[in-house]
Amino acid sequence: MAKRQVFYSFHYGNDVLRVQQIRNIGALEDNKPVSHNDWETVKKGGDKAIEKWIDDNMNYRSCVVVLIGEETHKRPWVKYEIEKAWKEDRGLLGVYIHNIKDPNTGTCKKGTNPFAQFTFKDKQGNVKTIPCKDPKSTDAYNDIRNNLEDWIEEAIENAK
């Protein structure tokens, strides 16, 4: 099977080093990580520039994977990405990353489910629940590595 194209949504400031480890798994074609300098340039352009960057980078992605750290649910651009993915019928999936070790700070507290602040309804009006996977605390990296592709396929199927 060809690599799925995914968009990773996450709290850059807190979780970028955890996210880099997940990106390095290499089973998926993801949005290329933005460097700190490039992200600062985008942010200086204001909300419209950030929105355009998200829209451009989410284009042609079949699934949005929200990598959930301690404060991800509070981030306004993560909320925007979740809403956009749902409106555009993309697969939508959450993966807790609190047990992935940041080389500087170690693990963190488990974050709040960012999907809990939304009500998602399918085209028939039925309420849908977005899956959030909680990898094994003893080996979160390998649990994600071994299952992420299947979780994404399930999320894409659930979006139909």
Side-chain angles (χ1 to χ4, degrees):
M1 177 190 334
K3 289 184 178 183
R4 281 288 188 186
Q5 294 189 359
V6 300
F7 180 93
Y8 287 123
S9 176
F10 59 96
H11 179 192
Y12 186 90
N14 280 8
D15 297 320
V16 69
L17 295 177
R18 289 181 185 89
V19 171
Q20 291 295 18
Q21 293 175 61
I22 294 166
R23 283 189 160 126
N24 287 339
I25 290 170
L28 305 161
E29 184 177 321
D30 62 0
N31 49 307
K32 298 299 172 230
V34 63
S35 73
H36 180 72
N37 290 339
D38 289 345
W39 181 240
E40 289 303 317
T41 301
V42 171
K43 284 185 356 184
K44 284 180 186 173
D47 288 354
K48 288 293 180 193
I50 295 170
E51 193 172 304
K52 181 181 181 338
W53 183 90
I54 292 167
D55 293 350
D56 290 349
N57 282 275
M58 196 182 287
N59 204 17
Y60 304 112
R61 306 294 172 184
S62 53
C63 188
V64 172
V65 179
V66 181
L67 298 171
I68 307 166
E70 189 171 346
E71 297 182 3
T72 306
H73 70 286
K74 298 178 184 177
R75 308 307 299 165
W77 293 112
V78 170
K79 293 176 186 178
Y80 173 79
E81 292 159 351
I82 289 169
E83 289 176 318
K84 178 176 176 58
W86 183 257
K87 288 176 185 169
E88 295 178 353
D89 296 324
R90 298 180 196 281
L92 195 51
L93 165 70
V95 178
Y96 288 100
I97 61 169
H98 61 289
N99 284 317
I100 299 288
K101 289 183 180 166
D102 178 306
N104 299 320
T105 61
T107 59
C108 65
K109 293 180 185 173
K110 183 177 181 179
T112 299
N113 178 340
F115 305 116
Q117 56 199 312
F118 300 97
T119 300
F120 298 100
K121 293 185 179 181
D122 64 17
K123 290 173 180 31
Q124 292 75 38
N126 301 311
V127 175
K128 300 276 283 193
T129 301
I130 305 303
C132 284
K133 305 299 184 177
D134 193 1
K136 296 178 212 164
S137 62
T138 55
D139 195 7
Y141 176 84
N142 282 317
D143 198 14
I144 293 170
R145 182 177 57 113
N146 294 334
N147 293 294
L148 187 57
E149 287 181 82
D150 290 338
W151 295 341
I152 288 169
E153 290 304 318
E154 291 170 14
I156 292 168
E157 189 59 35
N158 288 337
K160 295 180 180 176

